[in-house]
Amino acid sequence: MTASSDAPISEAAMSEATAAAMAATGLVPGQSPAPLRLPDAAIFARRAARLRALAEGHAMGDWLRFVATLADAQAAVTATPAALAPEEQWAADLRALGARLDSLLPGGAREALTALAASDADTLEELAGRWAGDALEDGDHAAAPFLAAAFQTAWTRHAVALDPASVTTHATATACPVCGGAPVAGVLQVGMESGGLRYLHCGICHTAWHHVRSSCVACGDGKDVSQRFVEGADGTEANGAVRAETCDSCHSYLKLLFLEKAPDLDPVADDLATLALDLLLGEEEYRRIGVNPFLAVAG
């Protein structure tokens, strides 16, 4: 598969490509590594702690602490049972989040949340459609982080309850096998079973799935892939736990997070805290693979 090809890939061709990619890294289909890692119920509490740690002395500290406050509320709401499928549950979770956040937010954010909670079902659906389609209008941006939090809450609760055996994926999948979301980043694992393997992490339901490291996530090319990082004032790597994997074949990039260097990292939090890397690559006209639900509105 090449970046310029628009032809659909047959199931047989995909199977052959998957088998070849796995063989190139010494993996056997159907065996180690585990193809899928579902989230656990503590993910939002861990994220809140990570965001607050990253916020210390950070130029985006206020924004990171704001998202941490959202994560606190998400942890509480996720602990309550869902009454509906996640495609519908998000609206109820939005209101539940609003009830927990109202007294904790600064004035402007509180006003946006109040207006959002007062919206009728049709208005919410239209707004959610613009958010999901990356087509937010000027007046939508204040509501966007609350929509992101609601969708994350509904879909993560759903993913936590799944049986991994009920979800199928393959080693070159580019979208989340649970909710269809885009990867927020790739995480390089540590340990005897999966050390050095790359798992892509969904930014919505927080499912992680194994993807072979020998190829670009966007186009499948493996010859023009390299890693980039941001230098600190002393000339060393500014954040050794986060790099970008760039592909000069399709001119795209994906953040890579190294658990070995930051065992408490969180893909959404650490991606937010390394916006400087996105800005650097944007200046060089690289296109980001995937999205962070909170990154588009961080500015």
Side-chain angles (χ1 to χ4, degrees):
M1 179 169 63
T2 66
S4 59
S5 175
D6 294 323
I9 302 173
S10 69
E11 203 61 42
M14 178 59 77
S15 298
E16 292 176 3
T18 300
M22 293 185 75
T25 57
L27 303 175
V28 179
Q31 298 183 16
S32 181
L36 189 78
R37 294 184 173 189
L38 295 172
D40 64 78
I43 185 168
F44 291 118
R46 290 197 305 271
R47 173 168 303 153
R50 179 62 173 168
L51 283 162
R52 290 188 172 100
L54 291 168
E56 293 299 321
H58 197 287
M60 291 174 57
D62 288 344
W63 180 256
L64 297 178
R65 281 184 284 269
F66 169 73
V67 180
T69 300
L70 295 183
D72 288 333
Q74 288 175 293
V77 175
T78 304
T80 62
L84 302 166
E87 296 91 338
E88 300 174 316
Q89 179 65 34
W90 70 268
D93 286 344
L94 175 64
R95 292 186 170 88
L97 289 169
R100 291 184 173 275
L101 289 166
D102 182 64
S103 63
L104 303 174
L105 299 176
R110 188 184 305 117
E111 291 173 5
L113 182 57
T114 300
L116 192 60
S119 300
D120 59 37
D122 288 342
T123 300
L124 279 181
E125 285 292 343
E126 291 174 4
L127 179 57
R130 294 196 296 273
W131 176 80
D134 194 23
L136 290 174
E137 299 174 356
D138 289 343
D140 296 339
H141 287 87
F146 302 114
L147 286 172
F151 274 96
Q152 283 185 335
T153 301
W155 276 102
T156 301
R157 185 198 290 107
H158 171 75
V160 167
L162 289 175
D163 177 358
S166 69
V167 184
T168 58
T169 187
H170 56 79
T172 54
T174 59
C176 175
V178 171
C179 71
V184 67
V187 176
L188 298 189
Q189 302 294 312
V190 294
M192 293 294 292
E193 178 185 349
S194 57
L197 298 178
R198 176 175 65 182
Y199 280 76
L200 304 184
H201 281 247
C202 177
I204 300 298
C205 75
H206 304 103
T207 295
W209 66 100
H210 173 252
H211 191 288
V212 292
R213 288 185 64 187
S214 60
S215 62
C216 168
V217 173
C219 72
D221 184 83
K223 294 179 293 184
D224 295 314
V225 174
S226 58
Q227 291 184 13
R228 303 287 299 278
F229 59 88
V230 174
E231 287 188 357
D234 59 357
T236 61
E237 191 171 348
N239 187 328
V242 182
R243 295 188 178 187
E245 183 178 85
T246 60
C247 176
D248 286 332
S249 179
C250 66
H251 224 63
S252 66
Y253 75 95
L254 175 79
K255 292 269 187 76
L256 287 180
L257 283 60
F258 293 75
L259 272 175
E260 182 179 12
K261 297 183 178 181
D264 58 347
L265 66 78
D266 173 87
V268 170
D270 284 76
D271 175 54
L272 277 178
T274 52
L275 180 60
L277 186 53
D278 295 281
L279 297 176
L280 172 67
L281 293 168
E283 290 174 356
E284 298 179 14
E285 299 185 351
Y286 282 95
R287 175 183 57 85
R288 178 177 170 130
I289 300 169
V291 65
N292 187 315
F294 299 110
L295 188 58
V297 294

